[in-house]
Amino acid sequence: MKKIFLSIFTLLLSVPHIQSAEDHIVYQGKTGPGKGKHIVFLSGDEEYRSEEGLPMMAKILSQRHGFKCTVLFSLNEQGEIDPNNQKSLSHPQALDSADAIIMLLRFRTWPDEVYKHFDDACNRGIPVIGLRTSTHAFRGKLGGFGKRVLGEKWVSHWGGHKREACRGAIEPGAEKDPILNGVSDVFADSDVYEAYPPEDAKILMRGLVLENMSPDSKPSTRQKKNRQLNKVTGVNDPAMAVAWTRKHKWPSGKTSHIFTSTMGAATDLKSAGLRRMIVNATYAGLGMKVPKEANVDYVDPYKPLFYGFNSFRRGIKPADHALGKVLPLGNKKR
């Protein structure tokens, strides 16, 4: 009888661990400068496949640089990854021990008890890296985060959506910024966002709107009205900012190092230059020495889906992103 009781007790103790392991993924850090630091990735956008790109980046930061990395997802009732579920963030308790946040969110409407973990983490003054649609990460009462914290909100597609790709151009005067160590040949097949970072931001890179979706395409000569200048200009005269840093002071009085990039679609992250800039921004935000040329080689094969609404892989669970696995194709649309 005693053995049966002990077995049941042991099983009950193990259940929360099993559940938490099923709704998120943790990559324990190998040996490296990041050992002892915990980075929490927040994926949750309907279009740009953050549920594919962020686990890949987490694998790199854990296996190549030593950081413990936890990736949280939007899930459906079956425990499958569903970026359309704007109310979901799996295992938000991971944020309680986060040393940094890397996020790609879009119009989330988390319950108060979920958002509190995020808000508390931010108010500790930890660095925040916001990618692509994180400029409009939340809606409703949580809206305004992008403009207030990251330095911009959703404005418009400055480049032609799915027609004109982006080539990164380092901002003159920013060449020696450590975040740009080893960064070159940045290409993003997502278009350039219209963005006007505040005066306190340091622009690191601008995005040249290209004539088409090819990496070797020429810069576009198309014209468009620039809202900040209130006049029609060439789309690359000036080119829009696509990466910048700034500081943000929270209600707690603590200040965070902020890195924002309006690039970051899963297909954008095939660019080694962009991956390196994000890795470098992680080091810089944590006050660590930035590598001269950070290793950003894939850990596992990476073949992300092209961006688009309702085009995510169905039936995928967080465990499908485990180390050593190739992401399944998933089920067809339901």
Side-chain angles (χ1 to χ4, degrees):
M1 186 69 181
K2 186 176 180 181
K3 288 183 178 180
I4 294 174
F5 175 78
L6 287 173
S7 297
I8 294 172
F9 182 71
T10 302
L11 178 62
L12 288 172
L13 285 177
S14 68
V15 167
H17 174 72
I18 293 170
Q19 289 176 337
S20 66
E22 289 178 346
D23 66 6
H24 65 286
I25 192 83
V26 178
Y27 305 109
Q28 296 296 340
K30 281 191 171 182
T31 302
K35 198 71 174 176
K37 299 288 187 181
H38 182 202
I39 304 171
V40 176
F41 291 74
L42 309 180
S43 74
D45 83 286
E46 303 91 328
E47 186 175 10
Y48 293 102
R49 305 283 72 84
S50 61
E51 71 278 3
E52 297 189 20
L54 294 192
M56 179 273 292
M57 290 299 305
K59 288 181 179 182
I60 289 173
L61 279 161
S62 63
Q63 305 307 295
R64 308 292 187 212
H65 300 275
F67 296 95
K68 175 185 175 182
C69 294
T70 300
V71 187
L72 311 184
F73 301 91
S74 298
L75 303 178
N76 61 22
E77 292 181 354
Q78 290 73 44
E80 300 165 344
I81 296 171
D82 181 357
N84 288 339
N85 187 357
Q86 296 177 332
K87 295 182 179 180
S88 172
L89 181 72
S90 65
H91 198 63
Q93 297 85 352
L95 287 160
D96 298 345
S97 62
D99 293 300
I101 292 172
I102 299 179
M103 56 188 280
L104 203 171
L105 302 172
R106 181 184 183 275
F107 290 143
R108 301 292 99 174
T109 55
W110 296 336
D112 290 345
E113 61 270 22
V114 171
Y115 184 77
K116 187 177 187 304
H117 291 282
F118 175 75
D119 191 50
D120 287 349
C122 290
N123 272 279
R124 295 199 304 271
I126 66 174
V128 176
I129 293 176
L131 304 177
R132 194 59 176 172
T133 55
S134 293
T135 57
H136 41 296
F138 304 105
R139 69 175 0 145
K141 64 181 180 180
L142 306 180
F145 176 89
K147 187 69 173 179
R148 185 176 67 255
V149 178
L150 300 183
E152 188 51 288
K153 61 181 181 179
W154 165 244
V155 182
S156 78
H157 290 283
W158 186 248
H161 192 48
K162 296 186 178 181
R163 302 191 311 274
E164 296 174 326
C166 164
R167 182 182 303 130
I170 292 175
E171 179 78 347
E175 297 90 347
K176 294 183 179 180
D177 191 292
I179 292 177
L180 296 173
N181 283 1
V183 173
S184 62
D185 300 323
V186 172
F187 173 77
D189 62 13
S190 63
D191 56 90
V192 175
Y193 274 177
E194 186 173 5
Y196 307 103
E199 290 184 1
D200 65 5
K202 179 181 179 180
I203 296 174
L204 301 179
M205 183 172 287
R206 293 185 183 269
L208 297 177
V209 176
L210 304 182
E211 289 182 339
N212 55 50
M213 299 291 282
S214 174
D216 58 2
S217 172
K218 295 179 180 178
S220 173
T221 57
R222 190 167 56 83
Q223 293 192 326
K224 192 172 182 178
K225 185 174 181 178
N226 183 303
R227 299 177 199 228
Q228 188 176 61
L229 300 177
N230 195 30
K231 66 178 182 179
V232 174
T233 67
V235 288
N236 293 314
D237 185 26
M240 290 289 165
V242 294
W244 62 86
T245 58
R246 66 189 300 261
K247 303 285 187 181
H248 178 75
K249 188 174 183 178
W250 304 97
S252 65
K254 298 289 183 67
T255 299
S256 288
H257 184 283
I258 307 296
F259 172 82
T260 305
S261 177
T262 55
M263 301 177 285
T267 46
D268 293 349
L269 293 171
K270 292 192 292 184
S271 167
L274 180 55
R275 297 198 303 275
R276 185 166 288 119
M277 186 160 57
I278 294 169
V279 168
N280 290 350
T282 304
Y283 275 86
L286 288 165
M288 301 169 65
K289 184 179 180 180
V290 179
K292 289 186 177 180
E293 189 164 357
N295 184 346
V296 294
D297 292 344
Y298 298 136
V299 175
D300 290 317
Y302 182 64
K303 296 181 180 180
L305 294 181
F306 189 67
Y307 55 88
F309 289 103
N310 292 312
S311 63
F312 63 95
R313 302 174 202 246
R314 266 66 175 180
I316 301 298
K317 294 192 174 184
D320 290 317
H321 288 282
L323 288 169
K325 285 192 174 183
V326 176
L327 194 61
L329 291 176
N331 303 324
K332 293 181 179 179
K333 291 183 182 180
R334 294 170 183 167

